[in-house]
Amino acid sequence: MKRFLLILRIPELRHSNLRAEKRVRILTDYSHRERISDKDFEILESFSSDIPVKVGALAEALGLKVMIATLPMNISGLIQPETDGHFVIKVNRFESKERQRFTIAHEIAHYLIHRDKIDAGVVDSVLYRSKLSSRTEAEADRLAADIVMPRQAVAGAVRKQGGNRSEQVVQDLATAFGVSKQAMAIRVG
């Protein structure tokens, strides 16, 4: 896996309170980097400098339209081509903001590394399962996690807490990164 130097803004955490942002130089790993075009990677990289990553703006910069939609309760989101050749991501309006952010990142991941498999569209259930293989969905999950929770940014934030991974620190990190507590707990290990 290649490493790429990025500058990220991550909130400084002290005593479980979020403080002013501090610029930090870090190395970030992206799953499946070799399958992302250089042009798309430059765009991805340019949105990775702020935490939380602005996934809606990232999608737009990639030429994707994002819509909050009324979808069946068992559907988190989908990506499908439009008649003009562009792609649209639809996200279930009834899910939490954190879940919506991860779903957008998951659909962006499909676009970046599975564009050739999207065909008429990919509909992801609440378990992020679709007509695509489990491996394909797992790849999209990994890249989505890398987009919304860059490994090195999370590691740097944990180091600022002296390696503390208490429930409160995990919750504070989840809030700072705009993800669920469960997702952050998995990321910090």
Side-chain angles (χ1 to χ4, degrees):
M1 185 178 292
K2 294 182 182 179
R3 301 188 76 135
F4 299 90
L5 182 64
L6 302 176
I7 299 184
L8 295 177
R9 290 181 205 234
I10 59 175
E12 195 171 345
L13 301 173
R14 287 209 177 109
H15 309 301
S16 301
N17 292 322
L18 299 178
R19 302 281 182 180
E21 289 184 350
K22 181 178 181 181
R23 288 182 71 83
V24 178
R25 293 172 58 92
I26 65 170
L27 292 172
T28 301
D29 294 322
Y30 284 98
S31 299
H32 312 291
R33 165 57 183 110
E34 70 284 355
R35 292 163 56 191
I36 302 171
S37 75
D38 289 340
K39 178 184 171 207
D40 289 345
F41 183 76
E42 284 179 27
I43 293 169
L44 176 61
E45 192 175 45
S46 72
F47 280 87
S48 298
S49 62
D50 289 319
I51 301 298
V53 173
K54 294 168 180 59
V55 292
L58 170 59
E60 185 178 320
L62 289 166
L64 305 169
K65 182 177 174 183
V66 176
M67 296 173 58
I68 304 299
T70 301
L71 299 173
M73 294 304 288
N74 64 331
I75 303 298
S76 290
L78 59 89
I79 184 168
Q80 62 190 37
E82 292 189 300
T83 56
D84 64 2
H86 290 90
F87 289 84
V88 62
I89 294 171
K90 293 183 181 176
V91 181
N92 195 327
R93 76 173 60 252
F94 298 112
E95 294 194 342
S96 70
K97 291 292 181 200
E98 295 83 7
R99 180 74 174 198
Q100 290 174 352
R101 284 176 41 74
F102 191 86
T103 298
I104 293 168
H106 178 92
E107 302 306 339
I108 289 171
H110 277 311
Y111 176 78
L112 292 173
I113 61 177
H114 305 132
R115 200 171 314 177
D116 59 324
K117 297 178 182 176
I118 294 175
D119 297 326
V122 176
V123 177
D124 287 301
S125 73
V126 293
L127 298 175
Y128 294 112
R129 299 296 176 255
S130 69
K131 65 180 180 180
L132 301 176
S133 71
S134 294
R135 177 182 174 167
T136 301
E137 287 300 330
E139 289 172 354
D141 280 345
R142 277 192 297 279
L143 182 53
D146 292 343
I147 291 169
V148 296
M149 298 177 290
R151 291 178 191 277
Q152 297 301 322
V154 172
V158 170
R159 273 193 304 279
K160 287 180 188 276
Q161 293 298 302
N164 182 354
R165 290 175 168 84
S166 70
E167 279 192 48
Q168 187 59 53
V169 168
V170 170
Q171 181 60 59
D172 290 346
L173 289 172
T175 300
F177 283 78
V179 298
S180 70
K181 183 178 176 182
Q182 296 84 354
M184 186 56 72
I186 291 168
R187 179 59 95 192
V188 301

